[in-house]
Amino acid sequence: MLYYEKILIILFFICFFLSLYAQKVKIEGLTSVYTNELCMYKIILDPSVGSATCFVICGKYGSLVGFDGDTITKVNIKGDLPIQVRWGNTVTSDAYVRVFDVNNPSGIHAELKNINIQKISDFNLQLKSSSGENLLQYTSFNMEALIDPAYVAQSYTWSGDDLTITSGQGTNKISCNFSNSGYKEIQVKVISGGKEFYAKKSFTVFPKWLQGPNLVCDKGVFYIENLPSGMILI
């Protein structure tokens, strides 16, 4: 067997065994975070390995809390090892957390990559209504939560005064109506990257039915000839 063939075989087995070991190490944690956010990550070592001494690296975009702000530290892993990373001010989608074997720093044993660091101020949560700010009791309309398209929302939770949601709860768009008249608000809570964001919108809701020729309401006196569209006079 030629010399270079022996070298190739040795390199193959080295890579093979390193890949087997790499499968024994995992990293879990958020991949969508915000600038200056403190995040918890977990390095998980398969029990069959026993223990290992590794380097943990979070690169130039963050620092490992509890290790004097270092971006790299040496740790002993046995089972699960929680670590905290404080992400910096740089907006990027290339942040990562990596684990290297101390005896083989050139090989990546585990990697959580493409971590997206966003600015909270860029989230820009807004509410859009399919109707105006004045509407009738029981009138169906749509509400939509708008965020910057560069961001990903994990959940939407809608609520409001005397609000009946007929469809869409848990999504960015709902169909709904108000069961009572008066001054009402609709609020949405959006979770993105482990953080909560809120927005609300106000409405004046008129009663569906009026008794008598004239009645004083929130917006003044309504006469038969200028009732709001859809209002029923009894």
Side-chain angles (χ1 to χ4, degrees):
M1 184 179 292
L2 298 177
Y3 175 75
Y4 74 89
E5 291 177 332
K6 293 181 180 178
I7 296 297
L8 288 175
I9 292 174
I10 292 172
L11 288 175
F12 170 79
F13 279 105
I14 290 175
C15 293
F16 175 75
F17 286 112
L18 285 177
S19 65
L20 286 179
Y21 186 78
Q23 295 171 10
K24 302 291 186 179
V25 184
K26 295 189 300 182
I27 304 173
E28 293 182 352
L30 294 173
T31 56
S32 180
V33 299
Y34 292 96
T35 51
N36 298 310
E37 184 176 10
L38 179 64
C39 297
M40 179 71 72
Y41 293 87
K42 184 187 294 183
I43 302 171
I44 302 172
L45 185 67
D46 191 289
S48 64
V49 177
S51 62
T53 303
C54 297
F55 290 121
V56 180
I57 300 175
C58 61
K60 62 183 179 181
Y61 299 116
S63 59
L64 293 157
V65 178
F67 300 100
D68 299 324
D70 292 338
T71 59
I72 179 172
T73 189
K74 184 177 178 181
V75 295
N76 293 314
I77 306 173
K78 185 175 183 180
D80 297 351
L81 176 69
I83 60 170
Q84 287 184 310
V85 176
R86 172 76 70 181
W87 298 109
N89 289 314
T90 304
V91 175
T92 181
S93 59
D94 294 324
Y96 58 80
V97 178
R98 291 174 180 161
V99 177
F100 295 80
D101 184 356
V102 167
N103 297 318
N104 181 40
S106 62
I108 299 176
H109 280 352
E111 181 179 39
L112 192 63
K113 60 182 180 179
N114 298 328
I115 297 174
N116 185 30
I117 303 177
Q118 320 168 71
K119 282 186 178 179
I120 293 178
S121 59
D122 294 339
F123 194 75
N124 195 27
L125 175 59
Q126 299 180 47
L127 289 184
K128 179 181 178 182
S129 170
S130 64
S131 68
E133 295 179 353
N134 302 320
L135 46 83
L136 284 178
Q137 176 186 3
Y138 300 120
T139 299
S140 181
F141 64 101
N142 297 326
M143 288 294 298
E144 184 175 7
L146 304 173
I147 63 175
D148 189 292
Y151 299 91
V152 176
Q154 279 77 53
S155 68
Y156 296 84
T157 304
W158 296 86
S159 60
D161 305 319
D162 299 315
L163 182 69
T164 300
I165 299 173
T166 54
S167 66
Q169 179 66 282
T171 71
N172 71 317
K173 189 174 183 179
I174 61 170
S175 294
C176 56
N177 64 75
F178 289 108
S179 60
N180 280 307
S181 59
Y183 180 81
K184 308 295 180 183
E185 285 187 343
I186 292 180
Q187 177 177 272
V188 65
K189 178 178 76 173
V190 181
I191 297 180
S192 177
K195 287 192 173 295
E196 297 180 356
F197 300 89
Y198 294 86
K200 62 183 179 180
K201 189 173 181 64
S202 302
F203 297 87
T204 299
V205 182
F206 299 108
K208 184 70 173 178
W209 298 276
L210 284 177
Q211 290 186 346
N214 306 319
L215 186 69
V216 178
C217 298
D218 293 338
K219 291 295 183 178
V221 179
F222 291 100
Y223 298 91
I224 293 175
E225 61 269 19
N226 68 352
L227 290 176
S229 175
M231 184 177 286
I232 300 171
L233 180 66
I234 299 176

